[in-house]
Amino acid sequence: MMRRQVRKVAATGIITVLVIAIVVFAVLQMYLKLDRESRLAEELSNGLNDLQYLTTEYLATGTPRALKQWQDRHVSLGMFLERAPVTDPKAARLLPEIQTRLTTLGSIFGKLTRIDDAIPEPGRAAAAKRAALSRLLNQILALSALKDRVSSIYRARQETFALWASVAVSGVLLLGILLMVALYFRVLRVIASNVERLSAEIIRLGEGELVEPVQSDADGDIGRVFDAVEQARIRLADAIMQMEQERADLDSFVYVASHDFKAPLRGIENLATWIEEDAGQTIGAETREHISMMRRRISRLETLLDDLLAYSRASREEVPFETVDVGVLLDDIKDDLVLPAGFELVVAPDMPVLYSPKTPLAHVFSNLINNAVKHHDGECGRIEISFEKTFNEVAFTVCDDGPGIPLKYRERVFEMLQTLKPRDVTEGSGMGLAITKRLVQRNNGTISITGAEGRGTCIRFTWHPDVKAE
């Protein structure tokens, strides 16, 4: 049904365009015809002006060239009047009078040019010239008056034509628009009804109600859209089921890795202790160092397993929102961490109050502060925390005065199991910044290392508070 309505609208639009094109073409043809006729007044005006100018030139110079130019212009004007396409009755009635006066004008000018030959006496010749010139000017003035009348006739026709053409084109256009608007609203009602039902189904799917199938009795394109939404519901439900199964499998694997794998490690550590106790003083210094190194690596592997568990849970645990005073939170973190002697944590004043998950934000700050202390190359250091509010997020910056991170490693340090120093030099699993990045991304934020290369590192991350914080 909707397709038929759309076709009707399209057909109406095409017919309207064709009718408008036909009307415009007819109007254009009539305009061109009227324009050709209206050239009568324009050509007559130009011819009279030329004849008047050439008359003055001939009287002033008396040269054969001036006479020839006047005669040629008189002949060309007469030929134009004979061929002029005049269909207007009023202009047609004036055309014979114009031709008669133009012929008379030529006769008077011819007599004027022959006065010197016909009358040898200078006095009589001058009087005859003045009389002929007077008659010549009277004919030119009469022709000018006729030209004005012709111009007024065609000017009135042009105004009438413009009004008629505007009414015709506007009427056709208005009629076509009214027909298209009527059909448009009819189609709109059909579309609105189907879109309303489609929106309700999509909202239902968006809210997670994937059990009930999408039902519709629509046909055509809308019916295919409903079918596509139903297929999307089926695929989404299957994908969610598969993802939940994979998540359960992953949780099971991580649990085994973080718990069952620790049992052999604890057994190895106990065995090292028993060997050390049984051997007593007979163990050499090199052997004791090897046993100590083995214990450190066992501890590092246990830490790695714990960090892998934390990494897997970082983007999946649902944490409730609560009001978080970031200044108070950082004070608590400072007390819990117990920074080494010589290290100072400086927090900018007026830290914001957010409505946000508290635990992930605390983990981010703790990891960044620990990272700054762990990788510092001095016995004392300074860590500064500042913030900047933007339109819909808060950007925090944690800066230290440590050795800094080269530009080429600034992306790598956020990957899993990546450290810039050997693990025998710096204790760590290489998971701290990876966990931090995952926690920030879970909050739809970004994290990066900013600033120029050199001493000191500034890590900037954005945190999106919930709208309830506003």
Side-chain angles (χ1 to χ4, degrees):
M1 177 181 179
M2 189 180 71
R3 181 175 293 180
R4 290 197 302 271
Q5 297 298 329
V6 172
R7 288 175 178 171
K8 287 182 180 180
V9 173
T12 303
I14 294 173
I15 293 173
T16 302
V17 172
L18 290 176
V19 172
I20 292 175
I22 293 172
V23 172
V24 170
F25 179 77
V27 169
L28 181 61
Q29 293 299 316
M30 296 176 64
Y31 171 77
L32 293 175
K33 181 180 179 182
L34 180 60
D35 182 67
R36 287 193 298 270
E37 291 188 25
S38 64
R39 288 183 55 197
L40 173 63
E42 180 182 356
E43 180 65 21
L44 184 58
S45 176
N46 294 335
L48 291 176
N49 291 334
D50 293 342
L51 291 176
Q52 190 172 3
Y53 169 76
L54 292 172
T55 301
T56 303
E57 183 180 0
Y58 175 75
L59 293 175
T61 62
T63 60
R65 188 181 70 83
L67 176 60
K68 181 70 168 54
Q69 288 179 342
W70 194 99
Q71 291 172 344
D72 291 343
R73 189 67 180 96
H74 180 267
V75 171
S76 66
L77 182 58
M79 294 176 63
F80 171 78
L81 293 176
E82 290 178 0
R83 298 193 303 266
V86 179
T87 59
D88 186 270
K90 296 180 180 179
R93 285 195 296 270
L94 294 176
L95 187 59
E97 184 179 356
I98 294 174
Q99 291 174 327
T100 301
R101 288 191 176 277
L102 184 63
T103 302
T104 304
L105 181 66
S107 176
I108 294 172
F109 186 79
K111 292 179 181 180
L112 178 64
T113 59
R114 294 191 297 271
I115 287 177
D116 290 334
D117 296 334
I119 303 175
E121 297 179 11
R124 290 180 58 198
K129 284 183 178 180
R130 285 194 297 271
L133 184 59
S134 176
R135 291 175 60 199
L136 186 68
L137 293 177
N138 288 336
Q139 290 299 323
I140 291 176
L141 291 176
L143 286 170
S144 296
L146 291 172
K147 179 263 298 182
D148 292 338
R149 290 174 61 184
V150 172
S151 297
S152 64
I153 290 171
Y154 283 107
R155 190 180 306 113
R157 282 191 63 187
Q158 287 175 341
E159 292 175 355
T160 304
F161 174 79
L163 178 61
W164 175 86
S166 301
V167 171
V169 173
S170 300
V172 173
L173 183 61
L174 181 61
L175 179 61
I177 291 175
L178 290 176
L179 289 175
M180 292 182 65
V181 168
L183 290 174
Y184 166 77
F185 279 109
R186 186 173 178 180
V187 172
L188 190 62
R189 286 196 299 270
V190 176
I191 294 176
S193 175
N194 288 314
V195 169
E196 185 177 358
R197 286 187 296 157
L198 182 62
S199 299
E201 292 293 338
I202 292 176
I203 291 174
R204 179 174 67 84
L205 297 182
E207 292 174 350
E209 299 179 9
L210 304 176
V211 178
E212 295 294 331
V214 176
Q215 306 203 2
S216 171
D217 56 355
D219 57 359
D221 295 336
I222 290 292
R224 285 194 290 272
V225 172
F226 275 99
D227 293 340
V229 173
E230 169 61 14
Q231 294 300 319
R233 182 197 69 82
I234 295 174
R235 289 194 296 270
L236 182 60
D238 292 342
I240 290 176
M241 184 181 300
Q242 183 179 358
M243 183 180 64
E244 289 177 349
Q245 182 61 45
E246 291 176 354
R247 177 182 294 180
D249 294 342
L250 179 61
D251 287 341
S252 176
F253 170 76
V254 171
Y255 179 81
V256 170
S258 61
H259 292 82
D260 294 358
F261 287 1
K262 287 184 178 181
L265 294 178
R266 286 192 293 270
I268 295 173
E269 185 176 10
N270 291 336
L271 181 60
T273 302
W274 295 338
I275 292 174
E276 191 175 19
E277 290 176 353
D278 291 344
Q281 299 298 324
T282 61
I283 298 179
E286 184 177 357
T287 303
R288 289 184 182 276
E289 177 61 27
H290 289 166
I291 293 175
S292 177
M293 182 183 299
M294 182 174 62
R295 285 175 173 170
R296 289 197 302 272
R297 292 187 176 176
I298 290 172
S299 176
R300 187 164 61 212
L301 185 54
E302 289 180 340
T303 302
L304 176 59
L305 292 173
D306 291 337
D307 288 344
L308 285 173
L309 178 62
Y311 183 81
S312 67
R313 292 177 176 174
S315 62
R316 294 185 290 106
E317 290 184 341
E318 294 295 334
V319 183
F321 280 74
E322 58 184 295
T323 300
V324 180
D325 187 328
V326 179
V328 175
L329 176 66
L330 289 172
D331 289 338
D332 294 340
I333 292 174
K334 183 178 179 181
D335 294 337
D336 293 340
L337 291 178
V338 186
L339 297 177
F343 280 82
E344 178 185 12
L345 177 62
V346 179
V347 179
D350 301 324
M351 277 285 172
V353 178
L354 310 177
Y355 189 76
S356 164
K358 181 178 181 180
T359 303
L361 183 59
H363 285 170
V364 170
F365 279 119
S366 297
N367 286 347
L368 294 179
I369 295 171
N370 270 326
N371 197 69
V373 173
K374 183 188 304 181
H375 296 284
H376 205 284
D377 57 353
E379 296 181 356
C380 58
R382 178 183 176 89
I383 303 170
E384 298 181 356
I385 300 178
S386 59
F387 75 97
E388 176 187 0
K389 284 187 176 181
T390 59
F391 175 70
N392 61 346
E393 63 185 11
V394 180
F396 295 98
T397 304
V398 180
C399 295
D400 62 62
D401 56 355
I405 299 176
L407 291 175
K408 61 181 179 179
Y409 297 124
R410 290 189 175 184
E411 293 293 334
R412 173 184 167 187
V413 295
F414 290 104
E415 299 175 3
M416 295 175 58
L417 308 175
Q418 296 295 326
T419 59
L420 298 183
K421 296 180 180 179
R423 289 184 171 84
D424 291 334
V425 177
T426 301
E427 289 294 331
S429 62
M431 294 291 296
L433 289 181
I435 295 173
T436 301
K437 181 178 180 180
R438 198 160 194 180
L439 290 171
V440 171
Q441 289 178 340
R442 176 67 187 275
N443 191 254
N444 297 322
T446 59
I447 185 169
S448 61
I449 300 174
T450 62
E453 188 171 358
R455 286 198 62 83
T457 300
C458 287
I459 299 181
R460 184 179 187 272
F461 70 92
T462 58
W463 198 261
H464 289 256
D466 191 79
V467 292
K468 295 180 181 179
E470 299 298 331

